[in-house]
Amino acid sequence: MHIVQAGMEHDVLRANDKVAHANYHLLKEHGIRSVDFMGSVGSGKTTLIIELGKRLKAQGKRVCVIAGDVIGDDDYKRFTAAGLDSVNLNTGKECHLEAPQVKRVLESMDLDAYDIIFIENVGNLVCPADFNLGTDFRVAVISVTEGDDMVRKHHQVFLHSDFAVLNKADIASAVDVDPEVIERDYAKLTGGLKPMFRTAAKKGDGVDDVLGFFNF
């Protein structure tokens, strides 16, 4: 008799994907477009989301941000201070958000009040890649301050995202990083099928290019 034993990891991911599928359809029922932002601590995810949110609000879009973090509400406070509606989501100890956590948040919200929901994942380039949340888009955000080997070290997060953002490009020379090396690695990994946008989110540079990809 041949016995196949499913691993715990497989079971966890399969269960997560089932909830992510439900999240996706819940958001669609309310006409909401959504984005999952993945990236390391310090990559500039929060600043990028704020800049995107401000532009969308100026266009009359109703935006809410789910601020994911292990503990605390620093990013949540930054979003609200910038005039964006936000919900704080702490994982307690997990290094990533999971679809059931997002489901509970969505069920607590008035989804008819929003057109767009941004989800800022926990600051990590490894764990979040495996856990689909049910969003329309997944974005990998890195910065030049993390070095020019980020793509070579973290294949999965780039393969599981729709495009990438190389942030803080304006200080690349100051940290002795060549953005073209990162872009070449990314193009090689993705077969040239996915774009990587250069941004300096703090200055607002390149943010409109990212917004244009979403076509909200």
Side-chain angles (χ1 to χ4, degrees), residues 45-171:
K45 298 189 302 298
T46 303
T47 301
L48 177 62
I49 292 171
I50 287 173
E51 291 301 316
L52 289 167
K54 286 180 176 179
R55 284 161 171 75
L56 288 166
K57 282 193 67 177
Q59 296 174 12
K61 302 292 186 181
R62 301 170 300 169
V63 182
C64 184
V65 185
I66 298 175
D69 218 333
V70 175
I71 193 170
D73 60 358
D74 293 81
D75 291 341
Y76 163 79
K77 289 178 178 177
R78 288 182 63 189
F79 291 131
T80 56
L84 300 177
D85 287 0
S86 185
V87 179
N88 199 46
L89 174 55
N90 287 156
T91 65
K93 60 180 180 179
E94 298 297 332
C95 59
H96 59 274
L97 295 181
E98 297 182 8
Q101 296 167 329
V102 173
K103 178 177 183 288
R104 288 192 291 272
V105 171
L106 294 177
E107 290 176 342
S108 72
M109 297 171 59
D110 177 10
L111 295 179
D112 291 325
Y114 299 107
D115 303 305
I116 296 164
I117 291 179
F118 289 148
I119 301 175
E120 183 182 43
N121 218 309
V122 178
N124 192 303
L125 271 179
V126 180
C127 307
D130 290 330
F131 290 86
N132 188 359
L133 303 180
T135 54
D136 290 299
F137 300 100
R138 305 186 82 194
V139 182
V141 182
I142 59 174
S143 73
V144 297
T145 58
E146 298 171 82
D148 62 12
D149 56 0
M150 295 303 293
V151 176
R152 299 193 297 275
K153 285 183 174 181
H154 298 285
H155 282 189
Q156 290 304 309
V157 74
F158 296 105
L159 292 175
H160 285 80
S161 57
D162 296 290
F163 68 92
V165 173
L166 178 57
N167 195 29
K168 305 183 183 181
D170 55 319
I171 62 170

